[in-house]
Amino acid sequence: MRTDTGQVFKLEDYRRPDYRIPETRLSFDLHPDRTVVVSELLIERADGVPEGTPLVLDGDGLDLLALDINGEPLGANAYEATPDRLAIHALPKGPSFRLRVTTRIDPSANQALMGLYRSSGVYTTQCEAEGFRRITYSLDRPDVLSVYRVRLEADKAAAPLLLSNGNPVEAGDLPGGRHYAVWDDPHPKPSYLFALVAGDLGVVTDEFVTMSGRRVALGIYVEKGKEPRAAYAMDALKRSMTWDEEVFGREYDLDVFNIVAVSDFNMGAMENKGLNIFNDKYVLADEETATDADFANIEAIIAHEYFHNWTGNRITCRDWFQLCLKEGLTVYRDHEFSADQRSRAVKRIAEVRTLKAHQFPEDQGPLAHPVRPRRYREINNFYTATVYEKGSEVVRMIRTILGVDAFRAGMDLYFERHDGDAATIEDFLAVFEEVSGRDLSQFALWYHQAGTPNVSVKASHDAATGELVLDIEQSSPPTPGESRKRLMHIPLAFGLVGPDGRDMIWETVEGAAVEHGVLHVRKRRHHVRFTGIAERPRLSLNRGFSAPVTLSVEERPEDRAFLARHDGDLYSRWQALNGLMTDAVIEASKQLRDGRAASFSAEIAELCGTIAADDRFEEAYRALALSLPSEADIAREIGSNIDPDAILSARNGLIEAIAGANADAFATLYDRLADGGRFSPDAASAGRRALRNVLLDYLAAGSRAPGRAAAQYGDAGNMTDRSAALAVLVMRHADAAETKAALADFEARFGSDALVMDKWFQIQAAAPGTGALATVRALTNHPGFSIANPNRVRALIGTFSSANQTGFHRADGEGYRFFAGIVLEVEQRNPQVAARLATGLRSWRSLEPRRKALAREALQKIATAENLSPDLRDIVERTLA
Ligand code: TRP
Ligand code: ZN
């Protein structure tokens, strides 16, 4: 583990590298616990750098065996080597030289899963962001691009498969049962995109012919016997390749494209050039073992990593402050892909729910940072919802402001101008300014300023004059290190909905620029005057969630209900109903805390009944409309002094009210939506299952008898229906014999399939109430659980801390104490995963005073532990600050 130097890296300290490395040759002699790496680098001194400037290479825990320059071993005085750094003072004269570095590493001992490690007997690598320095000394920074040739040598029986980046050029047998392969990647790339895989895996192959007629051999490598489960990922890959050609004009650029699924992986997947490495959770799927959500995630992540080939690899980042240049843009691209492959409205609602659930709390808490941060201690902690999801929203706003054609023209110019570059956000914004002639300097604040802006709107209508006036005001709350905020450019898509439910057309508008249904808020206050508005309209604001802001609108309660029935924008219509539900639960939770009974207006239940039955909408949309905001969503809206128990009771009260009012209709619809045992993963079929499973939850809440859920569990022909039924049993019928039987059955069926068992861990970890802690604690001793595997930790502990409001936030603080202990235990092996897990306590300040104090104690327990890793120290110190 690296020692924490407490060093802070700052954007303004960026300097171009003194040396370039145009060519890299790597040779790996792979052995499980003693791998020797020979790295031969062609090194050139950069223009303007004086001769004699020392060469300083990055390392991390390395063991140097040999070192020579131009074939001559270096004398002991010529260099200084520590595990974390290699500085060479005595360099040959002239502009370039060849450096040869030999290091020895132990893949089997590597439990941090960064650098070269073993997963289920397979050698694999993860180099982003700074993992390459755990393999060999190098200029491990993204603005040093090199052409790689890689030779792998391993035991042929244990590792018949030898993969690296680029195209295969040579392979053969060696004495002693060993063999080798050579790979050549002609595209210059930074070290973080290097990868190798060696092992014994099964494969699914296919072929893709690009738009210019080039043949690409596709391979997806998975654990032997699981090949059939890779079929959907292969299909998603081919669709992604076609889509990037059609929508962005981007063609693939190597003869092969390989994907490898591994079972120990810190994140979702990694876009290494020509050799994507995936968490197997995002590759393997079939109807018996994967849910519709799993299929959708696989499709999105396969696309995401593939799209990185252009946005990330061909054009990479100058430094890690620019991470959103590749991540925000690539998330935007995968969102658009999924919207085109599935339903655009449904996809948009799902995106906004994710953004609000993950990015908003980050932006509104102690870990808030700009989409392009200006400082970091540990870059691993900046792979955040802000960089990824808000980064995508910022790209989306550029499209909203420019329009689709200018946006595409800007993207074309970006690819043309920066292919082969390590670029910056300034480079990215410049192409859009150039093609559109617009000044995006105020807009650029979305990259530079943290926090979620608020827009408040007040409307007044004068029927006599036909005038509508909107008083709009923007404000941005302070965030850590940024107390004063500048005014943002906020593109608000909107409509004025008339009494007939249609959008009204105005004669004139003044007070703000309005273009194509988008109102551009740029000043602190706008007094916007519309004329030709005969009747009082309902305001449909931030349609399609055109800007990632919070809105406070002065409106009559009946306006919301009207929009929930009539808004022509499907997103805003969903938002209106969801807002009504949220307010109803908040109101009921107040009643409960005041010792009163919770009461609900009949209108929400009636609206739910109407939308459930409305065949004009796709089932997936109806399912989203009927899904109540989560307990965490409601807590976030309340904002402070949060009592999770009151929220749970209030939310259940609303579910029961909706279920009670619609019992017969929901039961009839539930029966009608049965699929008769046919399965297809397509969006329409998934939508029917989603709606049916939402109805199952209502029916269970309404009846208190486990019969229907137990029957669905037993009859289920696919994992979506089976796991949904199991979740309903656990949530709604915790003590029923049927629930215990279903849990036992699930374990008996899938006990040997770790990915499926993650669902079993998740469902139990999410069970509400104080009893969950004992269950979770017991499950840490289950033979299927492993503290060393990130997927297991996320399924059990991650779910408990992020999706179990009443269990985790137990009033006695036992949830927090348990959690702190686990975080420290995970950290012993894997600081990156521990740091991410620890963000589960970031909203501690919003809790009611008793819980708040207990949560702080748990954070302090982590903060004062000995030998804390830089990753975890960074998170807990910022969280407590
Ligand atoms: N670049 C990857 C992606 O978003 C993210 C990633 C995968 C990653 N593994 C990582 C980031 C390990 C940091 C550390 O597609
Ligand atoms: Zn990415």
Side-chain angles (χ1 to χ4, degrees):
M1 210 178 287
R2 241 186 304 169
T3 42
D4 189 0
T5 57
Q7 191 178 351
V8 177
F9 298 90
K10 296 178 182 157
L11 172 61
E12 72 250 33
D13 291 344
Y14 175 80
R15 285 203 327 126
R16 290 206 328 252
D18 291 338
Y19 291 92
R20 288 188 295 263
I21 310 180
E23 284 173 36
T24 298
R25 279 171 174 258
L26 297 173
S27 166
F28 288 83
D29 189 19
L30 293 163
H31 295 273
D33 42 33
R34 203 203 76 246
T35 286
V36 174
V37 186
V38 180
S39 167
E40 297 175 273
L41 308 174
L42 171 61
I43 300 193
E44 290 176 359
R45 192 158 29 84
D47 301 334
V49 174
E51 202 163 273
T53 301
L55 173 67
V56 181
L57 301 177
D58 305 297
D60 184 356
L62 292 173
D63 186 359
L64 179 67
L65 297 187
L67 185 61
D68 61 57
I69 289 186
N70 295 335
E72 301 285 326
L74 255 69
N77 302 332
Y79 68 93
E80 202 185 310
T82 71
D84 300 343
R85 198 176 102 117
L86 173 59
I88 306 175
H89 314 291
L91 293 167
K93 299 234 177 299
S96 70
F97 55 91
R98 286 189 185 271
L99 176 72
R100 207 175 119 105
V101 187
T102 307
T103 50
R104 183 177 51 194
I105 52 182
D106 180 354
S108 300
N110 181 351
Q111 294 198 71
L113 315 184
M114 294 295 287
L116 177 65
Y117 65 96
R118 305 243 303 161
S119 173
S120 307
V122 178
Y123 297 93
T124 186
T125 54
Q126 172 56 41
C127 291
E128 186 177 5
E130 296 176 338
F132 192 74
R133 61 185 67 182
R134 291 164 61 91
I135 295 173
T136 182
Y137 293 102
S138 70
L139 290 179
D140 193 14
R141 45 188 287 170
D143 58 350
V144 174
L145 278 68
S146 194
V147 167
Y148 282 65
R149 176 174 276 245
V150 179
R151 183 181 185 280
L152 308 174
E153 185 182 319
D155 184 84
K156 190 170 182 176
L161 174 72
L162 301 173
L163 300 175
S164 190
N165 314 91
N167 299 316
V169 290
E170 202 190 316
D173 289 337
L174 295 165
R178 309 235 349 136
H179 74 146
Y180 76 97
V182 178
W183 290 78
D184 189 274
D185 182 1
H187 299 282
K189 65 169 176 288
S191 51
Y192 82 86
L193 290 172
F194 164 78
L196 73 77
V197 171
D200 191 8
L201 291 166
V203 65
V204 178
T205 59
D206 209 320
E207 186 183 68
F208 184 81
V209 180
T210 70
M211 59 187 179
S212 72
R214 284 195 324 101
R215 292 179 179 283
V216 182
L218 309 177
I220 300 187
Y221 294 85
V222 299
E223 190 183 309
K224 279 197 166 150
K226 300 214 165 137
E227 295 88 345
R229 289 198 212 173
Y232 184 78
M234 181 61 88
D235 178 59
L237 172 61
K238 288 186 289 178
R239 286 186 281 121
S240 305
M241 296 177 86
T242 303
W243 187 90
D244 212 15
E245 292 185 347
E246 288 176 352
V247 178
F248 283 95
R250 297 296 108 201
E251 191 175 1
Y252 188 62
D253 54 7
L254 288 166
D255 303 335
V256 301
F257 185 78
N258 287 319
I259 291 174
V260 180
V262 300
S263 50
D264 300 84
F265 201 73
N266 281 352
M267 308 265 282
M270 179 63 212
E271 70 265 24
N272 318 295
K273 183 77 185 191
L275 178 57
N276 288 183
I277 298 180
F278 271 62
N279 185 330
D280 59 357
K281 174 179 166 64
Y282 297 117
V283 173
L284 300 172
D286 63 18
E287 62 195 77
E288 262 133 52
T289 57
T291 62
D292 291 323
D294 293 326
F295 280 98
N297 284 333
I298 288 169
E299 180 179 77
I301 296 177
I302 291 273
H304 179 97
E305 305 310 330
Y306 174 72
F307 296 158
H308 268 315
N309 191 56
W310 274 96
T311 49
N313 302 3
R314 291 288 288 255
I315 306 178
T316 192
C317 303
R318 187 191 73 173
D319 52 64
W320 292 119
F321 297 102
Q322 320 295 328
L323 184 58
C324 62
L325 178 72
K326 73 178 179 80
E327 295 305 346
L329 176 56
T330 305
V331 170
Y332 169 77
R333 277 151 53 70
D334 84 56
H335 282 176
E336 282 298 296
F337 169 74
S338 294
D340 284 347
Q341 303 285 313
R342 293 167 176 252
S343 154
R344 194 160 269 275
V346 168
K347 173 66 182 160
R348 186 61 188 149
I349 295 166
E351 281 162 21
V352 176
R353 286 187 76 165
T354 308
L355 184 83
K356 289 189 176 177
H358 299 114
Q359 201 276 327
F360 274 30
E362 183 169 271
D363 227 354
Q364 294 162 17
L367 301 178
H369 56 274
V371 172
R372 188 180 69 184
R374 275 181 299 278
R375 52 199 56 219
Y376 62 76
R377 281 171 67 179
E378 175 51 63
I379 188 58
N380 286 335
N381 289 338
F382 282 82
Y383 288 77
T384 59
T386 297
V387 168
Y388 277 67
E389 313 299 329
K390 189 174 179 184
S392 165
E393 294 301 318
V394 176
V395 175
R396 194 175 189 277
M397 285 190 283
I398 296 177
R399 189 195 61 183
T400 300
I401 291 170
L402 265 62
V404 277
D405 294 339
F407 178 74
R408 172 67 201 265
M411 286 301 299
D412 288 348
L413 180 58
Y414 177 63
F415 291 124
E416 187 194 314
R417 178 178 292 170
H418 293 293
D419 187 11
D421 286 354
T424 62
I425 285 302
E426 282 72 19
D427 295 327
F428 184 66
L429 285 167
V431 297
F432 295 107
E433 293 196 315
E434 222 165 293
V435 298
S436 69
R438 284 174 194 260
D439 174 1
L440 295 178
S441 49
Q442 187 185 10
F443 179 81
L445 286 174
W446 282 106
Y447 282 110
H448 308 322
Q449 197 163 267
T452 311
N454 182 259
V455 177
S456 70
V457 181
K458 235 180 353 193
S460 54
H461 177 254
D462 184 339
T465 60
E467 243 184 42
L468 171 75
V469 172
L470 299 185
D471 280 301
I472 303 177
E473 183 167 348
Q474 67 160 298
S475 61
S476 295
T479 53
E482 287 179 13
S483 49
R484 285 182 56 80
K485 300 286 182 178
R486 291 157 71 191
L487 296 170
M488 309 280 285
H489 176 184
I490 300 168
L492 268 195
F494 75 107
L496 306 178
V497 182
D500 60 354
R502 290 173 197 249
D503 280 9
M504 301 173 96
I505 296 166
W506 54 86
E507 278 163 15
T508 65
V509 54
E510 55 189 55
V514 175
E515 298 171 280
H516 316 294
V518 177
L519 196 156
H520 295 266
V521 177
R522 306 184 72 147
K523 301 190 289 181
R524 176 164 321 279
R525 286 185 195 85
H526 289 261
H527 186 74
V528 188
R529 189 187 302 271
F530 296 84
T531 63
I533 307 290
E535 286 170 278
R536 190 183 76 89
R538 275 75 171 189
L539 303 180
S540 171
L541 292 171
N542 210 14
R543 281 186 161 175
F545 207 65
S546 61
V549 299
T550 54
L551 263 184
S552 3
V553 186
E554 217 171 75
E555 64 189 339
R556 307 179 190 174
E558 63 268 26
D559 288 352
R560 270 249 185 93
F562 185 89
L563 291 171
R565 280 180 215 282
H566 299 294
D567 198 320
D569 181 87
L570 286 181
Y571 169 80
S572 293
R573 190 176 185 138
W574 168 82
Q575 179 64 74
L577 178 56
N578 198 261
L580 284 172
M581 291 170 162
T582 305
D583 288 355
V585 175
I586 292 174
E587 187 51 39
S589 74
K590 282 188 200 144
Q591 294 169 335
L592 290 170
R593 283 183 87 172
D594 295 348
R596 288 178 286 154
S599 65
F600 301 95
S601 84
E603 180 147 42
I604 293 175
E606 193 263 319
L607 270 164
C608 286
T610 307
I611 192 145
D614 193 338
D615 288 331
R616 291 173 308 161
F617 299 117
E618 343 168 53
E619 284 90 352
Y621 182 83
R622 290 189 264 157
L624 281 176
L626 293 181
S627 302
L628 249 58
S630 71
E631 291 156 55
D633 290 335
I634 293 155
R636 194 184 61 245
E637 289 297 326
I638 296 173
S640 60
N641 201 18
I642 287 159
D643 175 356
D645 296 321
I647 293 173
L648 175 69
S649 306
R651 185 176 181 276
N652 278 336
L654 180 56
I655 292 178
E656 283 160 28
I658 295 169
N662 296 287
D664 293 343
F666 282 5
T668 309
L669 185 55
Y670 172 85
D671 291 337
R672 192 151 62 73
L673 287 165
D675 67 359
R678 289 175 311 276
F679 180 89
S680 159
D682 68 85
S685 309
R688 280 192 291 282
R689 285 187 287 273
L691 179 54
R692 191 163 186 264
N693 287 324
V694 170
L695 295 171
L696 177 67
D697 188 53
Y698 278 111
L699 293 166
S703 79
R704 306 204 181 274
R708 191 182 271 105
Q712 176 171 320
Y713 178 87
D715 297 344
N718 60 72
M719 182 50 70
T720 302
D721 291 340
R722 190 182 300 284
S723 62
L726 186 62
V728 168
L729 285 168
V730 168
M731 301 285 161
R732 307 261 166 236
H733 311 293
D735 302 323
E738 285 86 340
T739 302
K740 293 191 178 64
L743 282 168
D745 175 86
F746 196 101
E747 186 182 7
R749 271 175 205 261
F750 302 109
S752 60
D753 193 323
L755 281 181
V756 185
M757 284 301 281
D758 283 346
K759 302 179 194 309
W760 188 80
F761 286 126
Q762 261 172 319
I763 288 170
Q764 295 181 79
T770 49
L773 176 60
T775 308
V776 171
R777 189 175 266 140
L779 287 173
T780 59
N781 295 317
H782 188 277
F785 182 77
S786 159
I787 196 97
N789 180 285
N791 285 357
R792 299 305 89 74
V793 169
R794 285 185 284 250
L796 186 61
I797 313 299
T799 302
F800 179 62
S801 56
S802 69
N804 193 335
Q805 296 289 306
T806 48
F808 178 53
H809 299 284
R810 256 169 71 137
D812 62 3
E814 280 302 323
Y816 308 140
R817 269 194 283 280
F818 164 75
F819 180 72
I822 296 272
V823 167
L824 289 170
E825 207 181 322
V826 172
E827 196 220 16
Q828 296 302 309
R829 300 172 170 82
N830 193 326
Q832 197 179 334
V833 168
R836 184 163 291 257
L837 195 61
T839 64
L841 273 174
R842 68 180 165 205
S843 299
W844 65 279
R845 275 198 186 81
S846 312
L847 295 161
E848 51 81 22
R850 214 174 111 79
R851 286 179 171 90
K852 192 197 248 176
L854 293 163
R856 184 205 268 123
E857 263 172 41
L859 279 162
Q860 271 158 349
K861 178 179 158 191
I862 299 174
T864 52
E866 270 171 47
N867 292 324
L868 218 54
S869 63
D871 308 60
L872 189 53
R873 177 173 302 285
D874 172 44
I875 293 291
V876 287
E877 287 185 357
R878 279 193 284 144
T879 302
L880 283 166

